[in-house]
Amino acid sequence: MASTASEIVAFMVAISGWVLVSSTLPTDYWKVSTIDGTVITTATYWANLWKTCVTDSTGVSNCKDFPSMLALDGYIQACRGLMIAAVSLGFFASIFALFGMKCTKVGGSDKAKAKIACLAGIVFILSGLCSMTGCSLYANKITTEFFDPLYVEQKYELGAALFIGWAGASLCIIGGVIFCFSISDNSKTPRMAYAYNGPTSVLSSRTKYQSGEGDFKNTSSSKQFDKNAYV
């Protein structure tokens, strides 16, 4: 029972993390222009993995998609690949988890379901690591440019999408670890085996009853005989 509850908790935690990781791809604010050292701010610059935008003081935004994938910076291409890999791995891990959980009717025996659940946990951990690496790589680029005194172009700060990605990656890793430990819980709680002797007919039950009654009469008569013999 405890193993089933832990698997349900792990599934909910991992799925929540996967949803957060998936939501970071279309999120706009991966990096936002800093206002540090500026007195008057006339525009706000922000960007994500797919486009760069500017919002003026009136609230009007103008966005420009990246014209070429091959002309992009290496860290953006790496972040794209890692985040897409994280979403894909999380999708397959959720399917494996559905087959490996004890509360579902598919997946085979308990031993096979435990192995599938452990595999789902490993894939969830890989998904979380991909998301964590992608967000950390993007954040490292932002912080490196921000603290570089020789960098004279527009500096940025960390956007909300990075924190969402880190949170989702942490949840995926936690859920994956719980799934991996569920296989040890299954090995510690063996299933009880019950022997089936087949259906008992009415004739056989009567025979057993009559034979038992006869044995009881013989025993009582022998006891009475022994008692009279010694009197």
Side-chain angles (χ1 to χ4, degrees), residues 89-212:
L89 289 173
F91 174 75
F92 289 109
S94 61
I95 295 177
F96 292 151
L98 290 175
F99 280 91
M101 294 175 65
K102 283 185 176 181
C103 57
T104 58
K105 300 296 184 181
V106 293
S109 62
D110 288 348
K111 187 176 181 181
K113 290 172 76 70
K115 293 180 180 180
I116 297 175
C118 184
L119 176 62
I122 295 174
V123 179
F124 268 126
I125 292 174
L126 292 177
S127 176
L129 291 177
C130 288
S131 177
M132 187 78 70
T133 305
C135 293
S136 300
L137 182 62
Y138 200 92
N140 179 66
K141 181 66 174 180
I142 296 173
T143 54
T144 301
E145 293 177 351
F146 185 86
F147 292 108
D148 187 4
L150 301 179
Y151 188 77
V152 296
E153 297 182 8
Q154 178 65 50
K155 294 184 178 181
Y156 293 89
E157 294 184 357
L158 303 179
L162 295 176
F163 297 100
I164 296 174
W166 283 325
S170 301
L171 291 177
C172 285
I173 293 174
I174 293 173
V177 170
I178 298 175
F179 266 123
C180 289
F181 278 108
S182 66
I183 190 173
S184 61
D185 295 337
N186 292 329
S187 62
K188 291 180 182 179
T189 57
R191 295 181 62 184
M192 296 183 65
Y194 296 94
Y196 177 70
N197 297 325
T200 304
S201 62
V202 179
L203 182 61
S204 61
S205 61
R206 285 182 179 178
T207 305
K208 290 181 180 179
Y209 175 75
Q210 292 175 359
S211 61

Side-chain angles (χ1 to χ4, degrees), residues 6-18 101 171 175 179:
S6 64
E7 287 179 352
I8 294 175
V9 172
F11 182 76
M12 297 301 296
V13 171
I15 287 296
S16 300
W18 176 64
M101 294 175 65
L171 291 177
F179 266 123

Side-chain angles (χ1 to χ4, degrees), residues 79-91:
C79 291
R80 280 185 179 182
L82 288 170
M83 297 305 296
I84 292 174
V87 174
S88 302
L89 289 173
F91 174 75

